[in-house]
Amino acid sequence: MTTVTLVPGDGIGPEVSAATRRAVDALGGIEWDVQEAGVVAIEKFGDPLPKHVLDSIRTTGVALKGPVTTPVGSGFRSVNVALRRELDLFASVRPCRLYEGVPSAFDDVDLVVVRENTEDLYEGIEFEVGSRELAKLRGYLKYMHGYALAPDSGVSVKPLSVSATTAIVTYAFEYARRHRRRKVTLGHKANIMKFSDGVWLQTGEELATRYRDVGFEATQVDELAMWLAWAPDEHDVIVLPNLYGDIISDLAAGLVGGLGVAPGMNLGRDYAVFEPTHGSAPDIAGRNLANPIAMMLSAAAMLRHIGRAADGDRLERAVASVLASGEVRTADLRPHGSPAGTSDVADAVVAAIEDAP
Ligand code: NAD
């Protein structure tokens, strides 16, 4: 038995987690340490990310996590940002593969978006419009650089470091090598942001010279977005700083059937947290409407990560067979007949696991 921390999350989290847990339990071998985070934890413990959740992940080394709501303007920190920071989960990896039977404008998509998870505009260095701190910053910018910042601006700072870039780009190349991928594309906007994206581009180009067995190209991120919408099979592994990675990975999820089928993982040197790309979807929460497949595919990646590759493959094959048959589909996958519920998908995946040992 391997113990894995399970954070069901909130919104649709508990539903997709329960469905996924049933599928993983059908394979056997996993013991769950269930931990609450998000809105449920605020109600119970007054903290959306109580210390015992982190303690559990530090003990097990690995978590399967449902989505967690970030309450807007409540003063609570984002659980997702805090988790990534506390556990130094510097790499977000989002495979976007088109499965047979999933409606898409394309026939063949198999991309992996590798996103830097710790810095960039998401680092949280922010200056509120009208604040004393911002007034000081305006004074400094005027005095040191002659730059007149409009008095009604808000400011977010974008740091990109050589060390974080080295870690993520190295990870992307190693991933490409390990999975026999043909090319790494590095997205940037170094022509505009010379001192932040400039660091990213230059560091990436230097590292690429050490991986001559893997193809490499650097592309401006706006051009990359156009190419992905036009010819996604031109790309393979895509490495991006935090903000571009957030946007482009959702775009890539849209190429392969949407958020309901897009898995994800957050990886660090010591810990790993596997979670779907989607959020807590409050619009459909508690109604047995959510597609659990993104979370099931995240669980398949988790099983491979902990050395249970055969179980991970078996789970992915079961999910793929349910998608290919097209008989049990939640509403987001545009079913021909009446849409299936979250629990129907769990039933079908468990049956497929039991049918194909
Ligand atoms: P969302 O991903 O929750 O929802 C976007 C749209 O996709 C909605 O229409 C929703 O119904 C649909 N959708 C999402 N997942 C689905 C699924 N499994 N099956 C069917 N339809 C699905 O994005 P949002 O509305 O921008 O965010 C809601 C909350 O989730 C916010 O508080 C946000 O901060 C949080 N969030 C959390 C995570 C995370 O925990 N990793 C990620 C993204 C957003």
Side-chain angles (χ1 to χ4, degrees), residues 102-125:
V102 174
S104 167
F106 300 97
D107 299 325
D108 181 20
V109 185
D110 186 6
L111 299 164
V112 180
V113 179
V114 177
R115 164 186 168 195
E116 203 288 322
N117 232 357
T118 63
E119 49 181 30
D120 194 352
L121 283 161
Y122 288 19
E123 177 126 358
I125 309 170

Side-chain angles (χ1 to χ4, degrees), residues 12 16 65-70 80 84 259-260 275-284 289-291 332:
I12 58 169
V16 293
K65 175 184 161 293
V68 169
T69 305
T70 302
N80 302 305
R84 288 165 201 164
L259 290 171
E275 62 177 345
T277 297
H278 63 72
S280 57
D283 52 334
I284 56 167
L289 294 176
N291 190 343
D332 57 306

Side-chain angles (χ1 to χ4, degrees), residues 121 124-131 133-135 137-138 141 147 149-150 152-158:
L121 283 161
I125 309 170
E126 305 229 71
F127 295 85
E128 193 176 358
V129 62
S131 66
E133 292 76 14
L134 187 52
L137 180 68
R138 284 181 62 227
L141 290 173
Y147 188 79
L149 197 65
D152 52 356
S153 317
V155 173
S156 302
V157 177
K158 171 171 173 153

